[in-house]
Amino acid sequence: MRPTIGVLALQGDVREHFSALRECGADPVSVRRESELAAVDGLVLPGGESTAISKLLEVFGLLEPLRQRLRDGLPAFGSCAGMILLAREVLDTRPDAQSLSGIDMTVRRNAFGRQVDSFETDLDLTGLDDGPVRAVFIRAPWVERVGDGVDVLARVPSGPAEGKIVAVRQGNVLATSFHPEVTGDLRVHRMFVDSVRERAVSSAR
């Protein structure tokens, strides 16, 4: 089956995720309304500006419906700003910023520094075969704390941020500090699409 996977299309790099999802065998759709959210099998929260996206979630009436769908087990994948939004706690953010509590973790916003501090590195990511992932970090967060039910999938291998957590999964929810949608490596998206497909098939039985 081709699962219907929404991409939260309020702000950020929506088009790149659309392309990656389609190549991985999903039918991507834009999500800006509660009715569109209700119709998807999974959801991608793209990179962008996390505080702006959280405000727009309130403006578009999506904040509480999305929190509820996550509580109900909706598979979700957040990259960069999407990781920040999915966290239970966010450090170095505005006091009025909202989070979705999709993953029991504490995230530090803009942990790697400003835009000029953006960088790339190779990461070994648990669950992926065929070698390391080329990870692109752009004003990226990192994870400072994870709860008991959270699997750490990748850490920075070297440099000043060595050992920092940059990919996690809790149940059906996946998050990365980096942007897999910009490299052409589809393995992270394929991992997510496969998990959405498996849940959709099991729910249909």
Side-chain angles (χ1 to χ4, degrees), residues 49-56 85 93-94 96-98 109:
E49 215 294 314
S50 60
T51 52
I53 297 172
S54 76
K55 274 290 185 189
L56 290 168
L85 290 164
T93 193
R94 287 172 35 167
D96 60 343
Q98 300 284 350
R109 183 173 173 267

Side-chain angles (χ1 to χ4, degrees), residues 28 30 46 58 92 97 105 131 134 139 155 162 170 176 179-180 198:
S30 297
E58 292 184 273
D92 295 337
M105 63 180 173
R134 189 65 177 171
R139 292 180 62 203
R155 297 175 183 265
E162 182 177 353
Q170 183 173 16
T176 63
H179 292 265
E198 288 168 11

Side-chain angles (χ1 to χ4, degrees), residues 81-122:
M83 169 184 265
I84 296 169
L85 290 164
L86 286 170
R88 175 159 293 174
E89 180 185 20
V90 181
L91 306 177
D92 295 337
T93 193
R94 287 172 35 167
D96 60 343
Q98 300 284 350
S99 62
L100 297 167
S101 296
I103 296 178
D104 182 12
M105 63 180 173
T106 300
V107 168
R108 186 172 296 278
R109 183 173 173 267
N110 292 346
F112 288 97
R114 299 173 298 165
Q115 193 88 8
V116 295
D117 300 311
S118 301
F119 71 102
E120 299 181 22
T121 192
D122 290 327

